[in-house]
Amino acid sequence: MLNIKNLHVKLEDEDKQILKGVDLTVPAGEVHAIMGPNGSGKSTLSYVLSGRDGYEVTEGEASLYDHDLLDMEPEERAAAGLFLAFQYPVEIPGVGNLTFLRTAVNAQRKARGEEELSSGEFLKVVREKAKALQIDAEMLKRPVNVGFSGGEKKRNEILQMAMLEPKMCILDETDSGLDVDAMRLVAEGVNALRSPERSFLVITHYQRLLNHIKPDVVHIMSNGRIIKTGGPELALEVEKNGYGDLLAEVG
Amino acid sequence: MADTAILAAQTPAAKARPAGTALEARLAELDLPKGGFTAAARTDAAARLNAMGLPGKRDEYWRYTDPAAFNDPVAQPLAFTSRQSTLFDDIEQLKLVFVDGRFDAAASDALEGEGLEVSTLAAADASGDHWASDLYGKLETAGQNPVKRPFAVLNTLAANDGVLIRVTGKVSRPVHILYRREAEDADVIIRHVIRLEEGSELTLLETGGIAARSNVAIEVEVNKEARFHHIASKRADDAKIGIAHIFARVGEGALFKSFTLSVNGSMMRNEGVIEILGDDAVAHIAAAVLGDGTEGRFHHDDTVFITHAAERCESRQVFKKVLKNGADGIFQGKILVKPGAQKTDGYQISQGLLLDEGSQFLAKPELEIYADDVKCSHGSTTGALDETAMFYLRSRGVPKEQAVVLLVLSFLADALEEIEDDRLRGDILTRLDEWLTSRASA
């Protein structure tokens, strides 16, 4: 499970505090959603947890099971079971999607002291998982995310998630740029990965994604803190009334 | 006096003696062949070189590369750390081996093949008559205008050996020129002359360590609807100091493609001089360069001049250099579109990827256009590794060193794409990947 205590984060190059004491626990097998207005610190939280440069933790801690996340390199966090689905997946020209996937899968296996997958084993697994996400052989061969539509990019993120089998998945605005059908497909992919051993943290502006990926717990984030936590009904309330009432209530 | 002092400080190579005697000193160390069929071309080259002199840093096209290492009368010896090149070993080929710049018949395949007429320069030059006399020194001479290329003239004057290939059919088996070194102080001058007759096809491969110092020139005439592919790989300590020229003349509907991979070295200059003379022709020239200054100096210069003198032709220059530890990458690329060369499609891209702050990439793109219905574009960028892409790869569990390798390969991809043959490109990629991975932590 993911455990965040009193996390304070500022930008490395600027004197700007983004997270001002985040407390959050996501137990194994649960799906938690974080909603909040623009600039509340949702994406920063996902970047800090996965180890992106440019942020400085000034106080607090974050752990995934018995790993102290904040002390680890991004690749170590990944091998420990953390996965971030990007809001804007990165295009990498000249590197085939399959090469990339296999490099990532085997790097993680190696880091965990497991045997690397042979080419044949890997292909068998990837084809199976790609099929469920309607990713065809052509898309697997193409350079990573190059020329992919918005929907294809997000499906590719979910394919990576499926191949890497993380314990903790963070989805950063996975619904952005998706039409209704693409969103359903992505949500189905995510739901297929739900298991008692795997947790999800779904970051989103809108309630609509949560119609497809049903959360156990919803958190509202504002100004660098989680200001309210509730059940799925909290998301519906936001959808109906906006964030204004909630922010006023907390004051 | 003050001016002289500044000049001397800027050009240490030139200060010892005036240009005339520098050339004399350079020529004095050479074993100049008299030549048979090349005799007239060599005499002409001697006169042209005397008039031209050796270049200095004040010459427009030598501003970013100090010619001193090429001007020195004697080459600095180069110790061996190298093994034989195994690149393209598994591909069926006609192998021609050169040891210290001289053809080694025993190590080579027989000089024959369907659609091919092959001889060596040293052997053929014993006689006064050869088909290559139409080309030897001719393309080089044509390539001297408007930019002087003294080391190519020197090559015409002093080349001791090389191959002469006349292609009359579609040759599927590549001709592989494999260089090997034996003497640590070898200083070699090699000339290859190639003629592709109408509708013929040839792939020429060049690999291996040439010498401590090398001067290689290729003259290639690609006649109507012929197709010529050239892939050269210059590895690690293969050519510490080397200058290479490729002079091409491309005819109607013909195709010329040249790709060079350079991995280290210390002072390299590759010049491509391509003249498109027939309508509807295609000429591409590309390079992927990896330079690491840790083992001493790394300086790599690509200087290209493409002339469009016909209609509806396409030219493409793709140059990518990955530089670290104080490495210098240079690109000077020009597209000249002559009057009447309408519907020209000219493209040029040069990019430097700097893996640290001590390295530099200098680019000088030039377009000169005298026709009004053409499409010419050029671009040049210099930058570091993309941090977002690095984070993306690492967030998937790819360790930092391996992520750098992937992003370097990604950066070079456009240049590698210029190799049409999948197997040849695959071999180059595998070799690159191995090299990068083995040095990922350096």
Side-chain angles (χ1 to χ4, degrees):
Chain A
M1 69 172 169
L2 177 72
N3 226 324
I4 304 170
K5 275 188 205 149
N6 194 30
L7 189 64
H8 286 69
V9 172
K10 68 180 273 293
L11 291 182
E12 210 168 53
D13 300 334
E14 262 178 76
D15 202 17
K16 190 176 174 194
Q17 199 74 31
I18 312 275
L19 299 183
K20 301 169 181 174
V22 173
D23 289 288
L24 177 68
T25 298
V26 185
E30 288 192 8
V31 175
H32 287 214
I34 295 190
M35 302 180 74
N38 288 325
S40 56
K42 306 187 299 291
S43 286
T44 296
L45 179 63
S46 73
Y47 288 147
V48 170
L49 290 176
S50 48
R52 186 167 190 162
D53 283 343
Y55 302 98
E56 188 187 329
V57 175
T58 53
E59 207 183 329
E61 52 196 73
S63 63
L64 181 64
Y65 292 89
D66 51 356
H67 300 283
D68 177 0
L69 284 179
L70 303 180
D71 262 359
M72 301 162 83
E73 296 293 337
E75 56 268 33
E76 294 170 334
R77 300 180 198 207
L82 188 74
F83 182 91
L84 168 65
F86 279 49
Q87 182 179 2
Y88 303 108
V90 181
E91 296 185 5
I92 307 181
V95 176
N97 216 5
L98 273 181
T99 307
F100 165 59
L101 267 175
R102 195 172 160 212
T103 306
V105 168
N106 280 336
Q108 291 204 12
R109 292 181 75 97
K110 199 174 158 194
R112 289 193 294 258
E114 299 163 16
E115 205 168 313
E116 297 186 17
L117 285 184
S118 75
S119 194
E121 289 167 322
F122 169 79
L123 276 176
K124 188 166 171 274
V125 180
V126 81
R127 286 203 182 114
E128 207 173 279
K129 301 202 174 191
K131 201 176 164 195
L133 287 158
Q134 296 182 18
I135 292 173
D136 59 20
E138 161 69 16
M139 219 173 118
L140 286 174
K141 274 190 209 147
R142 267 152 59 188
V144 181
N145 293 326
V146 176
F148 286 25
S149 71
E152 286 174 334
K153 281 183 181 169
K154 295 297 168 78
R155 266 148 57 201
N156 204 27
E157 293 290 285
I158 306 303
L159 174 64
Q160 292 168 31
M161 195 195 281
M163 289 302 297
L164 294 170
E165 300 183 324
K167 294 191 184 105
M168 176 75 226
C169 309
I170 305 173
L171 278 65
D172 186 13
E173 311 232 1
T174 291
D175 49 337
S176 73
L178 294 188
D179 61 35
V180 183
D181 294 330
M183 195 181 342
R184 187 175 300 127
L185 201 55
V186 165
E188 279 168 11
V190 171
N191 288 332
L193 291 173
R194 290 180 72 157
S195 89
E197 291 84 40
R198 186 171 289 135
S199 324
F200 289 84
L201 188 60
V202 181
I203 295 171
T204 181
H205 275 296
Y206 304 107
Q207 192 271 336
R208 56 180 188 180
L209 179 65
L210 305 180
N211 286 336
H212 301 287
I213 304 173
K214 299 255 189 296
D216 298 301
V217 179
V218 173
H219 308 275
I220 306 297
M221 195 163 177
S222 169
N223 194 23
R225 280 192 200 91
I226 286 172
I227 56 163
K228 188 163 186 178
T229 295
E233 73 286 350
L234 191 53
L236 292 167
E237 195 184 321
V238 168
E239 182 78 359
K240 201 170 146 204
N241 304 327
Y243 291 110
D245 289 357
L246 276 171
L247 297 184
E249 185 185 313
V250 176
Chain B
M1 262 328 273
D3 283 349
T4 318
I6 290 167
L7 179 62
Q10 285 173 340
T11 58
K15 81 181 168 194
R17 40 187 128 72
T21 51
L23 176 59
E24 279 166 23
R26 180 80 168 86
L27 294 180
E29 295 293 333
L30 294 173
D31 163 27
L32 295 177
K34 283 213 321 248
F37 80 89
T38 63
R42 290 180 195 268
T43 308
D44 180 60
R48 287 187 289 129
L49 192 56
N50 265 319
M52 199 179 288
L54 290 174
K57 278 215 78 177
R58 287 163 66 88
D59 286 302
E60 170 74 12
Y61 279 85
W62 289 94
R63 226 176 244 181
Y64 309 110
T65 296
D66 186 343
F70 306 119
N71 285 342
D72 281 348
V74 183
Q76 296 299 315
L78 171 63
F80 286 98
T81 50
S82 181
R83 47 306 88 170
Q84 282 185 11
S85 171
T86 53
L87 190 64
F88 307 136
D89 257 8
D90 297 337
I91 287 165
E92 206 200 331
Q93 57 188 267
L94 179 74
K95 190 186 278 183
L96 305 175
V97 179
F98 282 78
V99 179
D100 289 340
R102 298 287 183 160
F103 181 66
D104 182 340
S108 302
D109 292 331
L111 295 180
E112 58 190 25
E114 206 174 319
L116 284 176
E117 201 177 293
V118 188
S119 46
T120 66
L121 174 61
D125 213 11
S127 102
D129 185 37
H130 197 272
W131 61 261
S133 62
D134 290 349
L135 298 177
Y136 186 96
K138 300 286 196 301
L139 270 57
E140 175 265 299
T141 305
Q144 296 293 336
N145 184 32
V147 180
K148 297 284 172 264
R149 306 173 197 281
F151 297 109
V153 187
L154 180 69
N155 189 291
T156 299
L157 168 66
N160 302 103
D161 212 344
V163 289
L164 311 172
I165 307 174
R166 197 167 82 91
V167 191
T168 53
K170 290 193 192 301
V171 180
S172 57
R173 192 166 56 138
V175 170
H176 184 178
I177 298 176
L178 181 59
Y179 302 104
R180 284 185 194 149
R181 302 179 50 208
E182 270 177 10
E184 291 197 346
D185 60 350
D187 183 13
V188 312
I189 302 185
I190 300 174
R191 166 68 59 93
H192 306 303
V193 179
I194 300 160
R195 170 183 273 166
L196 284 95
E197 301 290 2
E198 184 174 331
S200 67
E201 188 163 350
L202 178 75
T203 297
L204 178 73
L205 309 175
E206 275 186 289
T207 65
I210 305 174
R213 181 168 71 175
S214 64
N215 177 336
V216 179
I218 299 177
E219 288 174 303
V220 53
E221 184 179 69
V222 191
N223 285 295
K224 190 176 173 184
E225 281 160 19
R227 300 169 72 84
F228 177 67
H229 297 273
H230 172 233
I231 296 151
S233 163
K234 301 176 181 181
R235 228 167 14 121
D237 44 16
D238 285 352
K240 266 292 199 247
I241 295 170
I243 185 160
H245 290 82
I246 186 160
F247 294 95
R249 186 181 276 171
V250 188
E252 188 185 335
L255 175 135
F256 168 92
K257 278 195 172 185
S258 175
F259 169 89
T260 301
L261 170 72
S262 298
V263 179
N264 270 5
S266 71
M267 170 58 74
M268 316 248 286
R269 164 111 158 190
N270 294 333
E271 299 198 22
V273 185
I274 301 161
E275 213 179 351
I276 307 177
L277 293 175
D279 294 341
D280 304 298
V282 172
H284 291 195
I285 184 161
V289 176
L290 290 156
D292 183 344
T294 22
E295 290 154 18
R297 180 157 190 204
F298 177 89
H299 183 102
H300 191 284
D301 177 334
D302 279 292
T303 294
V304 177
F305 199 115
I306 295 185
T307 304
H308 281 266
E311 293 190 25
R312 298 179 304 277
C313 294
E314 172 195 306
S315 73
R316 210 175 141 82
Q317 303 172 39
V318 182
F319 288 82
K320 304 260 188 165
K321 305 197 180 196
V322 182
L323 306 164
K324 70 173 181 180
N325 291 317
D328 291 336
I330 315 294
F331 173 74
Q332 308 185 90
K334 178 155 180 170
I335 306 173
L336 168 64
V337 180
K338 286 198 163 176
Q342 302 295 10
K343 308 282 183 195
T344 286
D345 182 356
Y347 174 78
Q348 178 195 93
I349 181 87
S350 63
Q351 295 182 302
L353 175 63
L354 308 182
L355 296 182
D356 55 47
E357 287 178 4
S359 302
Q360 63 170 347
F361 178 65
L362 304 173
K364 192 176 80 171
E366 289 178 280
L367 299 180
E368 198 176 329
I369 302 172
Y370 297 102
D372 56 9
D373 186 13
V374 304
K375 189 170 86 183
C376 277
S377 60
H378 68 88
S380 184
T381 65
T382 308
L385 282 174
D386 182 56
E387 279 184 29
T388 310
M390 270 302 280
F391 174 60
Y392 188 62
L393 292 173
R394 294 179 74 190
S395 77
R396 297 307 182 244
V398 180
K400 191 176 179 182
E401 294 76 21
Q402 217 176 342
V404 171
V405 171
L406 281 176
L407 291 180
V408 165
L409 290 173
S410 165
F411 171 78
L412 296 174
D414 285 349
L416 292 164
E417 277 303 310
E418 289 294 324
I419 304 173
E420 268 185 29
D421 186 292
D422 290 342
R423 287 187 62 194
L424 299 175
R425 187 176 56 248
D427 270 17
I428 293 255
L429 246 176
T430 306
R431 180 56 55 86
L432 256 177
D433 196 353
E434 283 169 8
W435 189 83
L436 285 165
T437 304
S438 74
R439 303 167 61 102
S441 51

